Amino acid sequence: MTRRIETALLVDDDDAFRTTLQGALRRRGVVARTAATIDEGLVALEYEPVDLVVIDYRMPRGDGLSALAQYRKLQPDAAIVMLTGFGDIPLAVAAMREGADTLLSKPVDADKLLREAANLRERQRPPPSGAPTPPPGSLKLDDLEREAIRAALRESGGVVATAAKLLGIDRRTLQRKLKKLGG
């Protein structure tokens, strides 16, 4: 059984996006608070812990990537999800290295976000005694790659050559990856 997400903090400078996602989470029974800046979010976490932190990558006064370590330090047990409209594999790897559990593309579906966060928290639960433990920080590279490719294709309007440039790979390589990933 997965661990339910009961509380969340949404850190994003886009008021419309932030309040829309907050409303969607609240309709699903999550107590969701918001912050418009990195600093506001850090202050909020000092007083009230949460199960889920959702933080935007690009923000006017400090990017989410550079703040991930601070958020992780304040909330070591929370699922931390970085959102971006500019996803690529190097960003996903950097986000994981800095403390995020996963990187999702905007706009994000509230149900998908909660499912992903609950799964992340479940993986953090200690396994039953005698069960093998997965290596710390194990990631699903195929999932990250698939998400980055989808984001690049959306950004490029479905043009494979343009998406390949955004990803920094050859067009033929992207075509092979799409075939392999079933897309």
Side-chain angles (χ1 to χ4, degrees):
M1 182 173 165
T2 56
R3 294 164 69 181
R4 187 180 179 299
I5 300 297
E6 295 177 7
T7 57
L9 175 66
L10 311 174
V11 183
D12 196 306
D13 62 308
D14 182 337
D15 293 334
F17 175 78
R18 190 177 65 244
T19 55
T20 301
L21 185 56
Q22 179 185 33
L25 293 177
R26 284 183 172 171
R27 285 189 297 280
R28 288 158 178 82
V30 176
V31 176
R33 295 178 294 135
T34 66
T37 66
I38 299 292
D39 292 335
E40 272 183 44
L42 290 169
V43 169
L45 287 182
E46 286 180 14
Y47 297 103
E48 242 180 285
V50 293
D51 300 324
L52 168 64
V53 175
V54 179
I55 185 168
D56 189 25
Y57 168 59
R58 288 199 178 167
M59 299 199 352
R61 289 182 282 170
D63 67 86
L65 186 64
S66 61
L68 283 171
Q70 294 171 283
Y71 278 86
R72 178 55 68 200
K73 185 177 178 185
L74 283 172
Q75 291 289 239
D77 297 328
I80 298 181
V81 176
M82 175 162 275
L83 294 181
T84 182
F86 311 94
D88 60 12
I89 293 172
L91 174 60
V93 172
M96 304 302 165
R97 191 176 301 129
E98 294 299 320
D101 292 304
T102 193
L103 177 94
L104 297 177
S105 294
K106 280 180 162 181
V108 67
D109 174 66
D111 291 322
K112 178 182 179 180
L113 175 64
L114 289 174
R115 220 176 13 258
E116 183 73 24
N119 288 337
L120 290 166
R121 286 181 47 89
E122 183 65 25
R123 282 185 235 146
Q124 293 172 353
R125 181 185 295 183
S129 59
T133 57
S138 62
L139 304 172
K140 292 184 178 180
L141 188 57
D142 283 345
D143 291 343
L144 293 172
E145 185 176 50
R146 185 177 295 114
E147 193 63 36
I149 289 171
R150 284 183 184 147
L153 286 169
R154 272 194 304 272
E155 179 114 359
S156 69
V159 178
V160 173
T162 306
K165 285 181 184 176
L166 289 171
L167 293 167
I169 61 176
D170 184 75
R171 173 189 53 81
R172 292 175 301 245
T173 302
L174 179 55
Q175 288 171 327
R176 282 192 300 276
K177 288 180 180 295
L178 285 168
K179 195 176 222 177
K180 178 185 137 201
L181 295 172

